[in-house]
């Protein structure tokens, strides 16, 4: 069989597909998107101008040029040149980079997600993905001998990277959730189970200041939680017990766990609530009987296989069955506006 040029190019692109992500990480660690952004809304800078802002007096401009030139082919930067002189090459920001990779004064930036997914500890998990096929395990546990949450207890840096990433997603979607769902208005005491740094509760108590919020997560997680009026940070395990409250909020937690573990969490939610107490769950909901062919959806599913203990996204039917089995009746499901089209708010009551 003759070797085709297009096929060979595709093969090389597959082999080196890790390069764009790691070069983007390098550019962000060098703070280059922010350096360019600070120069003005439509600024473009030469290598020499960028080098003046780097934390070294002797940067390797040849290396920097290669990084920025390649990322320009991936629509991260815009490369322009007004003459044949290489020193005239300038680099600006694309709309995508302005929206998601400039950090300063930009709450929608996705840098924490990039730093989490490219952290060496988490990247190692992908080297064990083939073993997830051969054994009932996940890549992270195979690589490190413990799950991600136990690992974070022993490694504060990984713990912070993960919590920063979770907080970023919470900031992105809480405004949309609060814009379409008013089920918090009659709540007096609200526990956020797996609340991390308390980001979601901060949004909720700002919108509903009468609420007393309890941010509940593992002790090593709440150590780095925000200190906010109206919010109490409590350490513990959702598999042991959950603080008493008249409502419980659980955001993007069940996706990390298999059915048995989800039933344990829901059982403890049931014990913590009064009769007719409210359970508010936000999760990505899949369409019944359909398989997404979107690349990002498939990647998200693979991330769960690699990092989580039997976790998965569930359909409406699966959610109703799981909640009913755990003593809850679904009142309604609400789909917020915004970019996360599969995100839904499930309101259920204890029966």
């Amino acid at each position: 069989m003759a070797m085709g040029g297009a096929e060979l190019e595709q093969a090389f692109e597959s082999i080196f597909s890790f390069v764009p992500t790691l070069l983007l990480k390098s550019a962000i660690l060098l703070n280059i998107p922010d350096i360019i952004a600070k120069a003005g809304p439509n600024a473009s800078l030469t290598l020499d101008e960028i080098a003046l802002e780097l934390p070294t007096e002797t940067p390797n401009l040849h290396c920097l040029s290669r990084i920025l030139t390649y990322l320009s082919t991936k629509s991260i930067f815009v490369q322009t040149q007004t003459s044949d002189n290489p020193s005239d090459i300038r680099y600006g920001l694309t709309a995508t980079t302005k929206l998601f990779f400039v950090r300063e004064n930009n709450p929608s930036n996705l840098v924490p997600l990039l730093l989490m997914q490219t952290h060496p500890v988490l990247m190692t998990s992908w080297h064990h993905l083939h073993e997830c096929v051969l054994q009932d395990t996940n890549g992270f546990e195979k690589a490190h001998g413990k799950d991600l949450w136990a690992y974070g207890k022993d490694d504060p840096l990984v713990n912070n990277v993960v919590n920063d990433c979770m907080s970023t997603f919470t900031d992105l979607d809480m405004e949309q959730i609060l814009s379409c769902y008013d089920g918090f208005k009659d709540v007096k005491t609200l526990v956020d189970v797996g609340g991390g740094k308390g980001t979601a509760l901060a949004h909720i108590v700002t919108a509903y200041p009468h609420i007393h919020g309890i941010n509940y997560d593992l002790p090593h997680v709440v150590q780095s939680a925000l200190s906010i009026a109206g919010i109490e940070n409590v350490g513990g395990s959702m598999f042991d017990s959950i603080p008493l409250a008249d409502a419980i909020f659980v955001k993007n937690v069940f996706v990390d766990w298999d059915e048995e573990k989800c039933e344990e969490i829901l059982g403890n939610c049931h014990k913590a609530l009064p009769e007719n107490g409210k359970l508010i769950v936000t999760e990505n909901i899949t369409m019944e009987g359909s398989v997404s062919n979107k690349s990002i959806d498939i990647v998200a599913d693979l991330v769960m296989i690699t990092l989580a203990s039997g976790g998965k996204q569930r359909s409406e039917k699966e959610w109703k069955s799981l909640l009913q089995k755990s003593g809850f009746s679904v009142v309604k499901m609400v789909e917020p506006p915004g970019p996360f089209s599969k995100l839904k708010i499930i309101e259920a009551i204890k029966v």
Side-chain angles (χ1 to χ4, degrees), residues 95-151:
T96 298
T97 301
K98 289 177 183 178
L99 279 171
F100 299 119
F101 299 125
V102 172
R103 284 184 277 191
E104 190 169 337
N105 300 319
N106 182 17
S108 67
N109 85 81
L110 294 179
V111 171
L113 173 62
L114 174 72
L115 296 181
M116 174 181 161
Q117 295 299 336
T118 58
H119 192 286
V121 168
L122 277 79
M123 288 283 284
T124 303
S125 307
W126 291 93
H127 294 277
H128 296 269
L129 186 57
H130 67 288
E131 294 177 79
C132 298
V133 176
L134 302 175
Q135 303 171 25
D136 185 16
T137 185
N138 67 68
F140 193 94
E141 290 188 14
K142 197 67 181 176
H144 302 291
K146 60 182 79 172
D147 67 29
L148 177 59
W149 320 114
Y151 192 97

Side-chain angles (χ1 to χ4, degrees), residues 277-295:
K278 188 182 296 185
L279 174 66
I280 305 161
V281 175
T282 64
E283 290 276 349
N284 286 331
I285 307 294
T286 60
M287 293 292 291
E288 190 68 39
S290 70
V291 178
S292 173
N293 60 0
K294 287 185 179 179
S295 175

Side-chain angles (χ1 to χ4, degrees), residues 78-315:
V78 178
Q79 181 177 305
T80 57
Q81 188 171 1
T82 56
S83 75
D84 293 334
N85 189 340
S87 64
D88 285 339
I89 297 175
R90 308 183 75 87
Y91 299 93
L93 303 179
T94 62
T96 298
T97 301
K98 289 177 183 178
L99 279 171
F100 299 119
F101 299 125
V102 172
R103 284 184 277 191
E104 190 169 337
N105 300 319
N106 182 17
S108 67
N109 85 81
L110 294 179
V111 171
L113 173 62
L114 174 72
L115 296 181
M116 174 181 161
Q117 295 299 336
T118 58
H119 192 286
V121 168
L122 277 79
M123 288 283 284
T124 303
S125 307
W126 291 93
H127 294 277
H128 296 269
L129 186 57
H130 67 288
E131 294 177 79
C132 298
V133 176
L134 302 175
Q135 303 171 25
D136 185 16
T137 185
N138 67 68
F140 193 94
E141 290 188 14
K142 197 67 181 176
H144 302 291
K146 60 182 79 172
D147 67 29
L148 177 59
W149 320 114
Y151 192 97
K153 180 181 179 181
D154 299 326
D155 190 327
L157 292 178
V158 169
N159 179 54
N160 289 338
V161 166
V162 172
N163 287 331
D164 286 347
C165 178
M166 298 301 104
S167 294
T168 293
F169 274 103
T170 299
D171 277 327
L172 284 171
D173 58 33
M174 279 309 298
E175 184 176 343
Q176 304 302 326
I177 289 170
L178 291 170
S179 74
C180 71
Y181 177 72
D182 64 357
F184 299 107
K185 65 184 180 183
D186 57 350
V187 173
K188 294 179 181 178
T189 303
L190 178 69
V191 176
D192 183 0
V193 175
K197 296 170 70 174
T199 307
L201 270 182
H203 285 271
I204 294 168
V205 301
T206 298
Y208 300 96
H210 67 276
I211 291 178
H212 172 66
I214 300 173
N215 180 46
Y216 187 62
D217 212 314
L218 294 168
H220 68 274
V221 174
V222 297
Q223 282 180 357
S224 61
L226 306 168
S227 179
I228 298 173
I231 297 177
E232 177 186 1
N233 293 306
V234 177
S237 170
M238 60 190 174
F239 296 109
D240 295 331
S241 65
I242 289 170
L244 302 180
D246 52 69
I248 292 174
F249 181 61
V250 193
K251 178 181 178 295
N252 292 343
V253 168
F254 295 104
V255 70
D256 292 334
W257 302 101
D258 61 22
E259 303 303 298
E260 183 179 344
K261 290 295 185 182
C262 287
E263 288 177 21
E264 284 186 43
I265 299 167
L266 287 168
N268 286 329
C269 288
H270 195 273
K271 292 175 186 175
L273 289 169
E275 199 66 29
N276 295 317
K278 188 182 296 185
L279 174 66
I280 305 161
V281 175
T282 64
E283 290 276 349
N284 286 331
I285 307 294
T286 60
M287 293 292 291
E288 190 68 39
S290 70
V291 178
S292 173
N293 60 0
K294 287 185 179 179
S295 175
I296 188 61
D297 288 340
I298 298 170
V299 167
D301 198 38
L302 286 168
V303 169
M304 299 314 304
I305 294 171
T306 307
L307 298 181
S309 301
K312 67 171 187 174
Q313 296 180 353
R314 295 171 173 87
S315 67

